[in-house]
C-alpha cells in the first residue's frame, strides 16, 4: 500500500487555507470572496458583450468592443487573483486590476462628459452604473487586496530552515 505524504503548509502556500491575510496569497480568506465577485462580474460581462458583438456590433461598435475588452479584463483578473501567489500570476493580477481601474474611470468620466461617444452603455460607462457601481469599487478593493497580501520581506520566499538566523533583538 502506498503512503500519501501529508500536505505541508509552507511559505509558498501562504500558511493554512484559512489564513485571511497570509502574505503573498491572493485567493485565500477574503481573496476567495473577491475572486467570486470577479468571477460573477466576468460571467455577466462576457455574456452581455458576446451577445452584443455577435448580434449588434454595427449599432455601437465602440461601446460593444469596450464591453468585450472589460469582460476579458475581468476574466484575466479573476484567474490571476485566484492563482496569485509569489509568481507571475500576481504580476498579471496587478496589471489586470490597474487596467480595470483606469478603464472604468476613463470610460466612466468620458461617458458623462461626451455621451455621444457611447451610443449604448458599456460595463464601464457612467462608472459602472448599470452594474450597481461594482465595476467602480471592485478594482480599488482588488488593488487594496493585492497590496495587503504582498510579500513583506524577501525571506518569506525561503523555506524556514533557509532563512537567516535572527537575534533576540529582531524578534
Amino acid at each position: 500500500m502506498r503512503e500519501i505524504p501529508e500536505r505541508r503548509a509552507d511559505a509558498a502556500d501562504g500558511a493554512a487555507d484559512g489564513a485571511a491575510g497570509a502574505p503573498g496569497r491572493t485567493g485565500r480568506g477574503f481573496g476567495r470572496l473577491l475572486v467570486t465577485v470577479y468571477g460573477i462580474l466576468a460571467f455577466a460581462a462576457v455574456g452581455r458583450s458576446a451577445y452584443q458583438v455577435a448580434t449588434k456590433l454595427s449599432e455601437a461598435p465602440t461601446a460593444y468592443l469596450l464591453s468585450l475588452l472589460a469582460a476579458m479584463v475581468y476574466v484575466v483578473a479573476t484567474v490571476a487573483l485566484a492563482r496569485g501567489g509569489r509568481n507571475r500570476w500576481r504580476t498579471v493580477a496587478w496589471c489586470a486590476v490597474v487596467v480595470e481601474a483606469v478603464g472604468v474611470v476613463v470610460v466612466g468620466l468620458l461617458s458623462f462628459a461626451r455621451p455621444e461617444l457611447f451610443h449604448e452603455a458599456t460595463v464601464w460607462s457612467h462608472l459602472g452604473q448599470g452594474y450597481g457601481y461594482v465595476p467602480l469599487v471592485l478594482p480599488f478593493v482588488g488593488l487594496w487586496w493585492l497590496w495587503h497580501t504582498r510579500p513583506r520581506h524577501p525571506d518569506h520566499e525561503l523555506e524556514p530552515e533557509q532563512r537567516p538566523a535572527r537575534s533576540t533583538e529582531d524578534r
Side-chain angles (χ1 to χ4, degrees):
M1 182 186 260
R2 205 172 121 207
E3 284 187 38
I4 300 173
E6 282 188 37
R7 186 178 181 282
R8 209 174 55 125
D10 59 17
D13 268 347
D17 279 350
R25 297 299 294 180
T26 56
R28 308 280 174 135
F30 174 77
R32 287 184 181 173
L33 174 63
L34 187 62
V35 168
T36 301
V37 173
Y38 262 101
I40 291 168
L41 191 58
F43 182 76
V46 166
R48 176 183 177 180
S49 64
Y51 171 77
Q52 290 170 329
V53 167
T55 62
K56 310 190 287 185
L57 184 60
S58 61
E59 294 174 23
T62 303
Y64 296 151
L65 290 174
L66 273 172
S67 284
L68 185 61
L69 172 67
M72 294 302 103
V73 169
Y74 289 130
V75 168
V76 170
T78 301
V79 172
L81 285 167
R83 299 192 52 133
R86 288 186 192 91
N87 54 32
R88 289 186 182 111
W89 283 110
R90 184 175 193 79
T91 303
V92 171
W94 272 104
C95 293
V97 175
V98 166
V99 166
E100 175 193 0
V102 170
V104 73
V105 170
V106 169
V107 171
L109 293 176
L110 271 175
S111 65
F112 285 116
R114 305 273 315 269
E116 68 275 6
L117 295 176
F118 304 95
H119 300 290
E120 292 290 330
T122 73
V123 175
W124 291 338
S125 60
H126 298 105
L127 301 172
Q129 182 181 31
Y131 286 81
Y133 297 101
V134 172
L136 176 63
V137 174
L138 196 59
F140 297 101
V141 174
L143 290 170
W144 168 80
W145 184 245
L146 285 165
W147 179 259
H148 177 74
T149 59
R150 74 194 183 281
R152 305 266 198 269
H153 191 276
D155 289 343
H156 285 288
E157 294 186 24
L158 300 175
E159 294 292 329
E161 61 274 3
Q162 294 174 326
R163 293 181 188 160
R166 293 172 43 196
S167 69
T168 55
E169 295 169 5
D170 293 339
R171 294 181 189 169

